[in-house]
Amino acid sequence: MADMQRKRRQSHRFSLMAFLLVATSVATIVRLGYLQIREAPQLAHEVVRPFTASSPVPATRGSIEVKLDNGQIYPLVSAEGSNFEITFTPGAIPDQSKLHQIEEQNAVRLSSILLPYFQDYWRANTDSTAHSYLIDTEGRAFTHLPTRTDVTSLLLYNEAYDMPSSYIRTLNAFNENLPTTTLVPIDLPTQQQISGMLDQLPGVDLAAGGSSQTFAAQGNTLMGKDFMDHVVGNIGLAPPAGTDKRFVANLNMPHGISGLELYYDKELAGQPGKQQVVVDHNGQIIQPLQVIQPPKNGDSLLLGVQPSLQQVAEFETSQLFKKVMQKGGKPQSASIIVINPTNGQILAMAEQSPLYSPNGLYPPIQGAYNPGSTAKPATIAMALSEGIISPDTSLYDSGSYSFGGTAVHEWGPGGPTGLTITPATALTHSSNVFLSMVGDQTVRFEQRKTGSSYIGAVGPAVSLLTRYDHAFGLGVATGIDWPDESVGVADAIDAQAAFNSGAIRMPFDFAIAGFGQIVQYTPLELAQYVSALATGERVAPHFVEALQTPGGKILPVVPKVLNHVPVSSQTLALIRQGMVGVTQPGGTAWTAFVGTPYTVAAKTGTAQTNGGRGADNAIFMGYAPADHPQIAVVIAVPQAGLMGADVAQAARDLFDVALQVKPADQILGHPPFEPTGTPDSPATKGGAA
């Protein structure tokens, strides 16, 4: 009986639940039908009804400018536009079997947008004086204006720098998966248009290049690339901090991503303002209402670079590259830096490399090389300052010096074998034998001081030399106003370990580090070092001479003294005497400086690479006038198969132009390029030639 009552109650519950479920479903269907039929117009209106929101007001980004020889201030990069950088990375395509198909698809999607810009660039850069070529995927230079079907190749071009296309193809064989880059002048709205297409362009990325569209638009490619574009850097697109994601498509604004654009991004970008806007349901701004807070426009940068001197530096790197190739060599790069040693102002910086890429390594600041005998002044300074040798110390150069069971030989038949060498003449004649004696005596100095064994004293000797190298700016950051600076290696044993992983602390390692055969320094470090030898102070190098506010206020850059070198004025005078001897009869670079109306203090360097199996590095550093330094020059051509003296003539040309002994056109063979017209004229704006 109880079971029957329980079953009856359960049956009632199930019936009730079924009834409620059916009733709820019917009510829902009726309500949806009502909304669909009776309320649809009103709901649709509610969905698309515009609404008011707060939106950033873009600030005008500051320009980057140089002062021309005629005194005119001219923008390298301005708010009017910039070069547009498209990077295609083949290795980013997961399915490599579809690589060429994807390249073609990308080209078709971009061609209608980019073709006019490519044609403008091509017209501006194919006259008889141009030195850049657009190279197709087979290594052939285009001989016609690019057509729609050429855009695939244009997206993969490399700049040839007057080198045979066969050489380019050889290099490309080892770089198939590396990014390749195309630069064309383009405006910001077009950049934003392509930015919205990136999800349809596999392997493609973009940024606004910081290089000079104003120079490039008039055919000034400066030996194959735009004016200091790697130094100036790139800008990309991003919304201001705190922006509602719905407005990103409307409010992408430039920000620095490399070079000076990145280092000075805060100053250049300014501060966005705020405005009330009307937006639709897609987040598109359809009507601005009022500005709540006006934007603060960015400051402009005035570079201290001298355009005509920069062009000479570009020309000289090209000539050095050709010299190496004519000797059958395969140069890695050629770098030139011209700097004011008294305040660190960079007056010119040029580089040449076989495959230039704005996103690749920048050799003057990021390439570290064995400096050869240019390291000797710092080693002599250490030994004199520590009392290891005296100004009167002398040694007969027999051609070799043996210590620690190893013999170090003189640098070649032209070396100072048979001469009695002093600290000053060791620099003039670049005596490896004298520097080996200094290395031996330094180890013995530390042995006496520490009471250790001869081998055990090598470590302290390394630390002592490293301390002096750092004080001169070798193996430490220079403090330049540019991001991503590389730092060389001043510790002899650490540097040796980079080439030979089982290296031990041997006296031989220390000795050859003292004359630059193991340690590695960047050209920029050498520029700071030679400036410190000239002035006794280590000053931070800088590109920017002054900032200018939107209101016109000039804010000069104050030179930053990082430290005074820890040597006496008497020691510096002796070292300078030896460096002056380098450019006098009998010195290692004297033939390049015959007849100069000024005196140059210099040091040449020739360094072995790959344990003597690779081509030698050729290095030059010097300053002038020797008694009143105004200009310092550093030239580095790694793995060139040349000697330091072989690059001295290029330094002579730079000194002559910088000190106004010769006009630039005598070196270039034509007047240095300067834009005609004003920055606002059609000839110097955008991508039109």
Side-chain angles (χ1 to χ4, degrees):
M1 186 71 177
D3 288 341
M4 292 181 61
Q5 290 177 346
R6 185 170 60 254
K7 289 180 181 179
R8 192 176 298 114
R9 286 197 300 271
Q10 289 176 345
S11 177
H12 288 319
R13 289 196 193 101
F14 288 143
S15 299
L16 179 61
M17 291 175 63
F19 174 77
L20 292 174
L21 179 62
V22 170
T24 301
S25 300
V26 170
T28 302
I29 293 172
V30 171
R31 176 62 177 168
L32 289 175
Y34 175 79
L35 293 174
Q36 180 71 24
I37 299 171
R38 296 292 305 270
E39 301 291 334
Q42 178 63 27
L43 290 174
H45 175 73
E46 294 289 338
V47 169
V48 300
R49 183 173 61 187
F51 62 94
T52 302
S54 176
S55 169
V57 179
T60 299
R61 190 172 180 85
S63 60
I64 300 178
E65 304 168 335
V66 293
K67 182 183 292 184
L68 304 180
D69 292 346
N70 63 12
Q72 180 187 3
I73 302 298
Y74 203 84
L76 292 180
V77 178
S78 71
E80 296 297 326
S82 63
N83 279 350
F84 181 74
E85 178 182 294
I86 304 172
T87 301
F88 177 74
T89 306
I93 306 303
D95 187 352
Q96 289 289 298
S97 65
K98 296 182 179 179
L99 176 61
H100 295 298
Q101 176 185 350
I102 290 172
E103 290 172 351
E104 180 65 30
Q105 290 174 351
N106 288 345
V108 170
R109 288 174 178 142
L110 289 171
S111 61
S112 61
I113 300 172
L114 295 180
L115 187 57
Y117 294 98
F118 277 121
Q119 290 175 332
D120 286 341
Y121 184 90
W122 185 249
R123 291 188 187 99
N125 290 283
T126 52
D127 60 21
S128 60
T129 63
H131 294 276
S132 70
Y133 303 92
L134 297 181
I135 304 298
D136 68 12
T137 51
E138 300 299 321
R140 298 185 299 260
F142 284 114
T143 57
H144 58 277
L145 278 175
T147 64
R148 181 185 180 91
T149 57
D150 290 328
V151 175
T152 299
S153 296
L154 286 169
L155 289 173
L156 300 172
Y157 88 91
N158 290 298
E159 298 188 34
Y161 292 106
D162 277 349
M163 292 192 298
S165 59
S166 59
Y167 188 37
I168 292 294
R169 288 199 301 274
T170 301
L171 292 166
N172 277 341
F174 298 99
N175 293 278
E176 291 180 352
N177 289 322
L178 296 181
T180 53
T181 300
T182 296
L183 289 171
V184 286
I186 200 167
D187 56 27
L188 190 58
T190 305
Q191 183 184 13
Q192 291 173 320
Q193 178 184 358
I194 296 176
S195 178
M197 298 170 54
L198 288 180
D199 58 343
Q200 306 170 38
L201 300 168
V204 173
D205 200 0
L206 60 88
S211 53
S212 167
Q213 82 283 1
T214 53
F215 275 73
Q218 298 201 25
N220 182 49
T221 56
L222 294 178
M223 312 314 302
K225 56 185 179 295
D226 296 335
F227 191 90
M228 299 191 77
D229 50 0
H230 208 142
V231 168
V232 171
N234 297 329
I235 55 177
L237 292 179
T243 301
D244 190 317
K245 292 182 178 180
R246 291 172 297 179
F247 308 144
V248 168
N250 295 290
L251 299 172
N252 276 341
M253 284 182 266
H255 68 104
I257 58 176
S258 66
L260 295 174
E261 293 278 14
L262 172 59
Y263 190 89
Y264 287 99
D265 186 56
K266 181 178 179 181
E267 291 81 359
L268 288 164
Q271 297 178 359
K274 291 183 180 180
Q275 65 177 341
Q276 284 187 330
V277 295
V278 177
V279 297
D280 62 20
H281 66 290
N282 292 318
Q284 298 292 318
I285 297 175
I286 58 179
Q287 180 184 353
L289 294 179
Q290 62 177 335
V291 174
I292 304 171
Q293 176 183 325
K296 180 183 177 182
N297 293 333
D299 297 338
S300 293
L301 309 181
L302 176 63
L303 306 188
V305 173
Q306 298 179 3
S308 60
L309 187 62
Q310 174 69 22
Q311 291 177 69
V312 172
E314 296 279 2
F315 173 78
E316 296 293 350
T317 56
S318 174
Q319 295 302 105
L320 289 168
F321 231 64
K322 290 179 181 179
K323 181 184 289 189
V324 176
M325 293 182 65
Q326 288 167 359
K327 288 178 172 287
K330 293 184 177 180
Q332 304 300 303
S333 65
S335 299
I336 287 178
I337 298 175
V338 184
I339 190 171
N340 183 332
T342 65
N343 62 16
Q345 178 66 63
I346 293 174
L347 305 175
M349 185 179 288
E351 64 90 17
Q352 186 80 272
S353 57
L355 285 180
Y356 172 72
S357 168
N359 293 320
L361 180 77
Y362 188 54
I365 303 179
Q366 297 174 311
Y369 316 112
N370 303 125
S373 295
T374 57
K376 290 175 178 174
T379 305
I380 295 290
M382 173 209 68
L384 288 169
S385 298
E386 295 294 322
I388 298 169
I389 62 173
S390 73
D392 298 324
T393 298
S394 64
L395 176 71
Y396 177 77
D397 191 336
S398 64
S400 66
Y401 185 90
S402 297
F403 67 102
T406 308
V408 177
H409 299 279
E410 200 49 87
W411 50 266
T417 302
L419 299 178
T420 297
I421 305 298
T422 65
T425 58
L427 299 177
T428 295
H429 301 295
S430 200
S431 173
N432 288 351
V433 166
F434 190 91
L435 268 291
S436 298
M437 181 274 291
V438 170
D440 182 21
Q441 293 301 313
T442 302
V443 175
R444 295 183 187 279
F445 171 79
E446 289 294 338
Q447 182 184 13
R448 293 190 299 270
K449 191 165 66 173
T450 62
S452 65
S453 67
Y454 184 79
I455 295 298
V458 174
V462 168
S463 297
L464 179 63
L465 178 58
T466 300
R467 178 160 58 86
Y468 276 85
D469 284 342
H470 286 179
F472 279 103
L474 299 173
V476 291
T478 66
I480 190 171
D481 57 345
W482 200 83
D484 303 322
E485 175 187 3
S486 295
V487 176
V489 181
D491 186 318
I493 307 305
D494 285 350
Q496 176 67 26
F499 293 98
N500 177 11
S501 59
I504 59 174
R505 291 175 178 260
M506 295 297 292
F508 175 78
D509 298 328
F510 174 70
I512 64 176
F515 53 85
Q517 296 296 331
I518 294 181
V519 290
Q520 295 181 321
Y521 307 131
T522 67
L524 184 64
E525 288 174 298
L526 292 173
Q528 188 176 68
Y529 164 47
V530 74
S531 297
L533 289 168
T535 67
E537 295 179 332
R538 186 166 79 95
V539 181
H542 54 96
F543 289 104
V544 175
E545 179 180 297
L547 282 77
Q548 181 173 353
T549 68
K553 184 178 180 180
I554 303 297
L555 305 172
V557 170
V558 178
K560 184 184 298 182
V561 177
L562 303 177
N563 62 265
H564 295 269
V565 296
V567 299
S568 67
S569 58
Q570 292 81 3
T571 294
L572 282 176
L574 185 147
I575 290 171
R576 293 164 185 165
Q577 175 189 341
M579 293 176 65
V580 168
V582 170
T583 63
Q584 302 298 309
T588 57
W590 78 274
T591 56
F593 294 95
V594 173
T596 57
Y598 51 86
T599 304
V600 178
K603 190 71 196 74
T604 57
T606 307
Q608 293 181 341
T609 63
N610 193 24
R613 295 183 294 274
D616 291 346
N617 294 343
I619 312 289
F620 174 95
M621 69 178 195
Y623 62 88
D627 58 348
H628 182 57
Q630 299 177 37
I631 302 294
V633 172
V634 168
I635 301 176
V637 191
Q639 300 187 43
L642 303 175
M643 299 181 68
D646 294 329
V647 302
Q649 182 58 52
R652 163 73 182 269
D653 291 343
L654 290 159
F655 281 124
D656 281 352
V657 173
L659 296 173
Q660 300 182 346
V661 174
K662 284 183 182 178
D665 55 9
Q666 286 192 24
I667 307 299
L668 298 172
H670 57 80
F673 172 84
E674 284 195 358
T676 57
T678 67
D680 294 326
S681 68
T684 58
K685 282 182 66 176

